[in-house]
């Protein structure tokens, strides 16, 4: 016998057979799937569903949204209008900032949560709550995160019971009453918007949870999703999951509103600063203009002047153009001086007035850039510190631009002074030409000129103030709402199909893993194929079915049970495969053994003897297991103490015929017991009387069946194996370990056992043959119930 092919057989993997092993346990798969689906159904029944709420906005381009109706003098003062620095990433950070979300929490009171306590599940109340709890004040020793959860049971339309979980508070109060509790003062205000909605809560318990705004803001910061629609797009999408759709929608809408409000406040800072500056200058110019007009009136009254301009009309026409130039230069110089004074007296981080009328685009552009950087720096400081590298960079840029603005104003002022000096020089020339004009007219013209300058500056400032007021009044929101918050009609969590699919997979996977582990650790022989993998060249005679609790253990006359049919097949195979070549003139000696105790060798030996006897053949059944005799289990009580093989070997006067006892089961069956258990079984079986015994019993019988001891535990069977014509080696399914067959293999190779044929005992119906489920019944079919057919 070659061991190599055996190892190859053991390593082969048969997918069909593996699947069949699992399919035989189909009931467990079905049961686990049903249980898993029921658990999934219960989970879905009592799990509060969550809905998806979404919204989208468009971040406007500031360059196109800063003007109103063509009014552009203050457009440069818009929020980051000229620089176009509103990066979507920055806006995403602002939208998810704790500061902004905290404003939403406080506005909607989301840090106070109301839950309806049900018998099985607890659901949150938002729009249909029957009352609101106002937390008026807290004791100094109580920190708001540790305010206990309150439970309120509505007794009637006017009274309620309030208590805590540990019953430290358990009181009855009226609605609207101010309650002094250990942690602070609260008031419970009923909501009677819907009479039916309130009355349906009478007798029910509602829990009220209070959390700090900061902790609630952190929770919502993690729950809300704010993402850009595309890398190059200004569209921002909001999404949030919540079991209360209205609550999520209100939160997202309020978040967008607070974002626009915050952006509008930033935009109005520059315009408001400029408006305040114009108002202060108007006060000064008004006083100066009143003083000039009063001087003019006094001058005319004192000198009794009426229309002295006609006298110098011709000369004044020549210098009218000059006067316009001198007036314009004087106005620009006054504005430059005012701007320089304001910058010298203001702080380094204050906004500068824009578009106050200074000519030249350089200063106006620098002021606009300066204000935009100031706003950007202040905005970053809301969510960071002055040590932020971006803030430091902006501060350096602000300082450089401020220095440049001062330098430009100084240069412009010096240039205006030079121009004014030149104009004054030319004025002296003109004055010499009108020297003939009375000195009073000259003084009067100077007064008129001063009045004109003040009036022009006053009107200009009035115009600028109106434009600033319009800019404040019509500031557009920064974000345009594309879609207000809306929620899905069907819940997104839990996903019913996913839960059911997961339950189905779990119901299939759990029994599979359990069976896989059981198969992995189970090294027992199961069916004929397991034996043939290990012993492919060994003669396999038959399989004996597993018996139920109430089934007969012995083959009966006219028996058509599975047990009887299996032993008939064993008898037939034994005759044709083993005994055909033996001498027909003497009894065929058939030894029955096993590896260890409990594999059913005595059961096989007795039933084989009965089956042979039922054919009319003379059969002798010998109990040769002298160490642990089991043959007496199948005999009546009165015959269990008969003499046997031991007495024959020890006492030479005893003959085999004296030991033979007829069987009560069949007249053709004779039995010889093993006898008294000797102290030296092995030495006893080695005596010559043993050989004499087997020669003596050959006469008068067709078959001699010998029930021997287990071959691996003791040496008895090896000692008497030489007297056997055939050795039936019994292996018990679900009992014999596969490794024990290595002993049989070694015994055959070493020739300690010979003429071996194998019988598989205790085979379940599903493992007959190569795993078929049909069994041995043919002539009659046992009628089974519906459940018997399915669960057999």
């Amino acid at each position: 016998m070659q061991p190599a092919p055996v190892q190859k057989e053991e390593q082969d993997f048969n997918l069909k057979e593996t699947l069949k092993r699992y399919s035989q346990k189909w009931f467990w798969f079905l049961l686990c799937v049903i249980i898993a689906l029921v658990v999934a159904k219960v989970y879905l029944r009592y799990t509060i569903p969550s809905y998806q709420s979404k919204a989208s906005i468009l971040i406007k381009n500031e360059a196109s949204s800063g003007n109103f109706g063509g009014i552009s003098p203050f457009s440069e003062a818009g929020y980051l209008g000229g620089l176009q620095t509103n990066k979507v990433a920055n806006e995403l950070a602002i939208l998810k900032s704790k500061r902004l979300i905290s404003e939403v929490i406080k506005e909607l009171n989301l840090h106070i949560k109301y839950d309806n306590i049900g018998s099985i599940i607890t659901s949150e109340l938002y729009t249909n709550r029957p009352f609101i709890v106002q937390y008026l004040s807290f004791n100094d020793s109580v920190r708001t995160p540790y305010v206990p959860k309150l439970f309120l049971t509505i007794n009637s339309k006017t009274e309620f019971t309030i208590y805590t979980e540990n019953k430290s508070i358990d009181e009855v109060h009226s609605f609207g009453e101010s309650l002094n509790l250990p942690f602070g003062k609260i008031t419970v205000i009923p909501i009677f918007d819907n009479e039916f909605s309130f009355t349906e809560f009478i007798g029910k318990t509602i829990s009220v949870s209070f959390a700090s705004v900061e902790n609630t803001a952190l929770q919502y910061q993690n729950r809300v999703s704010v993402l850009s629609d595309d890398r190059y797009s200004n569209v921002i999408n909001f999404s949030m999951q919540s079991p209360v759709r209205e609550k999520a929608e209100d939160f997202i809408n309020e978040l967008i509103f607070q974002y626009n409000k915050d952006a509008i406040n930033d935009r109005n800072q520059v315009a408001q600063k400029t408006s305040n500056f114009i108002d202060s200058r108007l006060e000064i110019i008004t006083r100066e203009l009143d003083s000039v007009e009063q001087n003019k009136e006094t001058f005319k009254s004192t000198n009794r002047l009426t229309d002295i301009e006609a006298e110098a009309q011709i000369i004044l026409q020549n210098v009218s153009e000059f006067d316009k130039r001198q007036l314009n230069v004087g106005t620009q110089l006054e504005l430059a001086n005012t701007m320089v004074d304001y910058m010298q007296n203001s702080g380094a981080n204050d906004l500068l007035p824009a578009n106050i009328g200074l000519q030249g685009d350089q200063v106006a552009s620098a002021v606009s850039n300066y204000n935009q950087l100031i706003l950007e720096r202040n905005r970053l400081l809301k969510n960071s510190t002055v040590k932020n590298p971006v803030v430091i960079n902006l501060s350096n840029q602000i300082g450089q631009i401020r220095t440049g603005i001062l330098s430009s104003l100084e240069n412009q002022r010096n240039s205006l002074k030079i121009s004014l000096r030149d104009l004054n020089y030319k004025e002296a020339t003109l004055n010499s030409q009108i020297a003939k004009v009375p000195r009073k007219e000259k003084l009067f013209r100077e007064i008129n000129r001063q009045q004109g300058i003040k009036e022009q500056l006053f009107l200009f400032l009035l115009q600028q103030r109106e434009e600033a007021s319009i800019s404040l009044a019509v500031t557009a929101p920064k974000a345009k709402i594309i879609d207000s918050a809306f929620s899905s009609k069907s819940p997104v969590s839990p996903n019913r199909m996913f839960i059911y699919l997961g339950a189905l997979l779990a119901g299939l996977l759990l029994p599979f893993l359990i069976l896989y582990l059981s198969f992995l650790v189970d090294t027992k022989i199961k069916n004929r194929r397991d034996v043939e993998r290990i012993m492919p060249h060994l003669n396999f005679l038959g399989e004996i079915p597993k018996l139920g609790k109430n089934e007969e253990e012995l083959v009966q006359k006219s028996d058509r049970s599975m047990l009887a049919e299996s032993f008939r097949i064993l008898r037939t195979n034994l005759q044709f495969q083993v005994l055909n070549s033996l001498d027909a003139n003497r009894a065929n000696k058939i030894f029955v053994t096993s590896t260890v105790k409990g594999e059913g060798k005595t059961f096989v030996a007795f039933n084989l003897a009965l089956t042979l006897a039922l054919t009319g053949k003379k059969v002798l059944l010998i109990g040769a297991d002298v160490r642990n005799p089991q043959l007496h289990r199948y005999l009546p009580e009165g015959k269990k103490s008969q003499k046997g093989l031991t007495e024959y070997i020890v006492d030479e006067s005893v003959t085999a015929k004296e030991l033979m006892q007829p069987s009560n089961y069949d007249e053709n069956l004779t039995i010889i017991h093993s006898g008294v258990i000797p102290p030296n079984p092995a030495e006893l079986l080695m005596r010559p009387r043993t050989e004499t015994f087997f020669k003596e019993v050959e006469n008068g019988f067709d078959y001699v069946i010998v029930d021997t001891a287990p071959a691996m535990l003791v040496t008895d069977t090896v000692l008497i194996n030489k007297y056997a014509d055939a050795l039936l080696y019994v292996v018990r399914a679900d009992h014999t370990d596969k490794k024990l067959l290595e002993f049989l293999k070694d015994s055959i190779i070493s020739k300690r056992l010979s003429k071996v044929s194998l019988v598989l005992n205790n085979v379940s119906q599903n493992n007959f043959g190569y795993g078929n489920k049909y069994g041995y019944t043919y002539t009659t079919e046992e009628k089974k119930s519906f459940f018997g057919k399915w669960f057999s």
Side-chain angles (χ1 to χ4, degrees), residues 7 127 643 690:
Q7 294 178 359
T127 57
K643 294 181 180 181
T690 304

Side-chain angles (χ1 to χ4, degrees), residues 290-538:
D290 289 342
S291 176
V292 171
E293 290 178 346
Q294 185 65 35
N295 291 337
K296 181 178 179 181
E297 181 182 356
T298 303
F299 181 81
K300 281 189 174 183
S301 300
T302 303
N303 295 282
R304 298 178 180 178
L305 297 176
T306 56
D307 189 11
I308 60 175
E309 294 180 357
E311 299 178 1
Q313 184 175 2
I314 298 175
I315 298 176
L316 292 176
Q317 287 177 353
N318 294 330
V319 298
S320 62
E321 185 65 24
F322 167 77
D323 288 337
K324 293 180 180 179
R325 292 175 57 195
Q326 192 177 35
L327 180 63
N328 184 42
V329 172
T331 300
Q332 290 296 315
L333 183 59
E334 182 72 15
L335 290 174
N337 291 332
T338 301
M339 190 67 176
V340 171
D341 293 340
Y342 178 82
M343 290 188 66
Q344 291 176 348
N345 295 328
S346 63
N349 295 323
D350 288 343
L351 296 169
L352 298 179
N355 294 324
I356 60 174
L358 285 172
Q359 294 181 352
D361 295 334
Q362 182 178 0
V363 174
S365 176
V367 169
S368 177
N369 292 339
Y370 178 87
N371 287 336
Q372 293 160 4
L373 292 176
I374 288 291
L375 286 176
E376 182 67 12
R377 180 180 180 274
N378 293 339
R379 188 181 185 195
L380 291 175
L381 284 175
K382 292 178 181 180
N383 297 305
S384 60
T385 64
V386 294
K387 294 182 180 181
N388 190 306
V390 178
V391 175
I392 294 173
N393 185 30
L394 288 175
S395 299
N396 294 336
Q397 294 182 41
I398 289 170
Q400 295 174 2
I401 294 177
R402 184 181 181 89
T403 302
I405 292 173
L406 280 173
S407 176
S408 298
L409 288 173
E410 287 292 340
N411 293 335
Q412 188 173 3
R413 188 166 63 174
N414 293 333
S415 176
L416 290 172
K417 287 180 179 180
I418 293 172
S419 299
L420 188 59
R421 185 179 60 189
D422 293 339
L423 291 174
N424 290 335
Y425 175 78
K426 293 179 181 180
E427 182 183 21
T429 303
L430 291 175
N431 288 336
S432 64
Q433 295 177 4
I434 58 173
K436 297 180 180 179
V437 179
R439 184 174 179 274
K440 295 179 181 180
E441 179 64 23
K442 178 181 178 182
L443 294 175
F444 185 74
R445 186 167 60 84
E446 291 179 354
I447 293 174
N448 280 339
R449 184 172 57 193
Q450 291 294 327
Q451 182 184 15
I453 292 174
K454 300 299 182 184
E455 286 179 348
Q456 184 176 0
L457 184 59
F458 180 78
L459 294 174
F460 178 75
L461 291 176
L462 285 178
Q463 180 183 1
Q464 296 299 313
R465 185 173 67 177
E466 290 301 317
E467 291 180 353
S469 299
I470 293 174
S471 178
L472 284 172
V474 300
T475 302
K478 185 173 185 180
K480 179 179 179 180
I481 298 177
I482 299 175
D483 286 319
S484 296
F486 64 95
S487 301
S488 59
K489 300 301 180 183
S490 57
V492 295
S493 175
N495 189 321
R496 302 182 68 88
M497 291 301 298
F498 180 79
I499 295 297
Y500 280 125
L501 180 60
L504 178 62
L505 293 178
L508 294 174
L509 186 61
L510 181 61
F512 173 79
L513 291 177
I514 295 175
L515 291 174
Y516 173 77
L517 293 176
S518 66
F519 292 155
L520 194 64
V521 300
D522 186 9
T523 58
K524 306 297 182 183
I525 298 293
K526 295 295 181 182
N527 52 31
R528 177 175 182 172
R529 190 179 295 277
D530 291 340
V531 177
E532 291 180 344
R533 284 199 192 97
I534 302 173
M535 308 288 293
H537 303 295
L538 187 64

